[in-house]
Amino acid sequence: MNAIETTQLKKSYGAVPIVKGIDLIVEKGEIFGFLGRNGAGKSTFINMLTGIIQPNSGTYSLLGVKGSNDQVKKRIGVMPDYSTLYGSLTAVEHLKFLSALSGNPAGKDRCMEVLQLVGLESHAHKKAAKFSFGMKKKLGIAQAIIHEPELIFLDEPTSGLDAESAIHIQKLIKDLQKKGATIFMTSHNLYEVEKICTRIAIMKEGQIVNIGTMEELRKIYRSTITVKLKHSSVPKTEQVKLHQWLESVGTELEMKEPYMTINIDDEKKIADMIRAFNQCKVDILRVKVKEPSLEEIFLAE
């Protein structure tokens, strides 16, 4: 059973197509990153999955249940925008209210446990009207996980948070995955997505243009691999032979002891290079490989 499965899911407003037939499978237990520029259709797609709007055509299922109904809604969590908070309610009151709506009312102990998880335990009885943007973001995450859902939708979970809080939330997301939850998240923090997501989809103009693990995405976009070696001194008797061999396996070779930089087209050649240096009685002290980052892949679309 997959956590999310969509078949040719489409949504238009009038004559304007927003989501143009998406086929997607998210397996249980994934931290799935969903990326796209503003206006790509991400929010519309997520709103269809969470039952906020209805698709024009196509089908979808969550946790093996087709469509959106009350039973499956009890098994999913959605991080709401901070503007949906009630200023007159405290953090604990929010969690009690939202958990009751989900059909699984949480007691005070569970509320305090979740507030501790997101770093709000010291603000449990403060009204939301006095919360900073970052605190509201944390409370939104707490609301999404209070009823221990199997599938969690997080929209920009760390935006507006300081570095320490962002790292704390990233760890929380990974901990939720370890406990069996599936996370479907959007984020403009591409480094964060690259770091914690098991797979990533990139959406453009209403369609998914690429999907895969970071390694799979790199293979699509990688034309060359830049390798930089730090090595011991090359014996004079071996310098010409080693230089000629390196020129035969790569391009833009640059040798300035104790460093060598070269572009290659296959990572298997790295092992060949290390063996060649060793045969010339040269020790490899450090290997640095530069590959496309998620930011470079994203901007290439």
Side-chain angles (χ1 to χ4, degrees), residues 21-37:
I22 289 185
D23 296 319
L24 177 67
I25 290 176
V26 177
E27 298 177 359
K28 288 190 72 176
E30 288 197 88
I31 302 177
F32 192 88
F34 196 60
L35 307 180
R37 291 180 170 88

Side-chain angles (χ1 to χ4, degrees), residues 230-251:
K230 184 178 181 182
H231 56 83
S232 62
S233 181
V234 180
K236 288 184 178 181
T237 55
E238 304 289 347
Q239 288 176 0
V240 174
K241 181 177 72 173
L242 182 59
H243 195 281
Q244 289 175 341
W245 184 85
L246 288 168
E247 285 187 323
S248 72
V249 298
T251 61

Side-chain angles (χ1 to χ4, degrees), residues 166-179:
I167 292 170
H168 179 85
I169 294 302
Q170 290 164 10
K171 182 181 183 302
L172 171 60
I173 290 170
K174 288 190 281 188
D175 288 344
L176 290 168
Q177 179 204 26
K178 289 175 183 176
K179 293 178 181 178

Side-chain angles (χ1 to χ4, degrees), residues 155-171:
D155 187 3
E156 300 287 345
T158 62
S159 69
L161 299 183
D162 59 74
E164 184 178 355
S165 295
I167 292 170
H168 179 85
I169 294 302
Q170 290 164 10
K171 182 181 183 302

Side-chain angles (χ1 to χ4, degrees), residues 201-213:
I202 300 175
M203 191 174 187
K204 183 179 181 181
E205 297 178 355
Q207 296 177 310
I208 291 177
V209 293
N210 266 311
I211 184 170
T213 64

Side-chain angles (χ1 to χ4, degrees), residues 38-254:
N38 291 336
K42 302 189 305 296
S43 295
T44 300
F45 180 70
I46 293 171
N47 286 342
M48 285 191 283
L49 296 183
T50 54
I52 296 174
I53 60 176
Q54 294 299 311
N56 294 119
S57 62
T59 61
Y60 69 95
S61 64
L62 304 180
L63 303 170
V65 179
K66 287 188 176 181
S68 179
N69 58 49
D70 290 342
Q71 288 306 309
V72 78
K73 284 180 180 179
K74 292 179 180 179
R75 300 167 63 193
I76 69 172
V78 182
M79 188 185 78
D81 185 84
Y82 74 90
S83 61
T84 62
L85 300 178
Y86 299 97
S88 60
L89 296 182
T90 66
V92 168
E93 289 168 343
H94 269 99
L95 297 187
K96 286 184 176 181
F97 176 63
L98 266 295
S99 63
L101 286 181
S102 74
N104 186 19
K108 184 179 178 181
D109 288 346
R110 171 61 182 167
C111 291
M112 292 303 298
E113 176 189 353
V114 172
L115 290 174
Q116 183 176 17
L117 286 175
V118 300
L120 282 179
E121 66 274 21
S122 62
H123 303 284
H125 302 291
K126 182 183 291 186
K127 291 185 177 181
K130 297 181 179 180
F131 277 17
S132 66
F133 179 87
M135 291 166 66
K136 289 175 179 177
K137 181 71 69 173
K138 291 178 181 179
L139 183 53
I141 297 171
Q143 290 182 172
I145 65 175
I146 183 64
H147 55 297
E148 300 183 85
E150 300 167 56
L151 172 60
I152 306 168
F153 293 88
L154 300 176
D155 187 3
E156 300 287 345
T158 62
S159 69
L161 299 183
D162 59 74
E164 184 178 355
S165 295
I167 292 170
H168 179 85
I169 294 302
Q170 290 164 10
K171 182 181 183 302
L172 171 60
I173 290 170
K174 288 190 281 188
D175 288 344
L176 290 168
Q177 179 204 26
K178 289 175 183 176
K179 293 178 181 178
T182 304
I183 315 295
F184 187 96
M185 62 178 280
T186 68
S187 177
H188 284 100
N189 184 339
L190 300 184
Y191 173 74
E192 171 180 86
V193 173
E194 182 174 351
K195 187 168 120 181
I196 71 172
C197 290
T198 52
R199 280 199 306 147
I200 301 159
I202 300 175
M203 191 174 187
K204 183 179 181 181
E205 297 178 355
Q207 296 177 310
I208 291 177
V209 293
N210 266 311
I211 184 170
T213 64
M214 269 306 301
E215 182 57 32
E216 289 167 342
L217 293 176
R218 283 192 178 112
K219 285 180 180 177
I220 294 170
Y221 286 89
R222 181 173 60 204
S223 56
T224 61
I225 304 168
T226 300
V227 181
K228 185 173 184 178
L229 300 181
K230 184 178 181 182
H231 56 83
S232 62
S233 181
V234 180
K236 288 184 178 181
T237 55
E238 304 289 347
Q239 288 176 0
V240 174
K241 181 177 72 173
L242 182 59
H243 195 281
Q244 289 175 341
W245 184 85
L246 288 168
E247 285 187 323
S248 72
V249 298
T251 61
E252 299 186 37
L253 172 64
E254 186 176 318

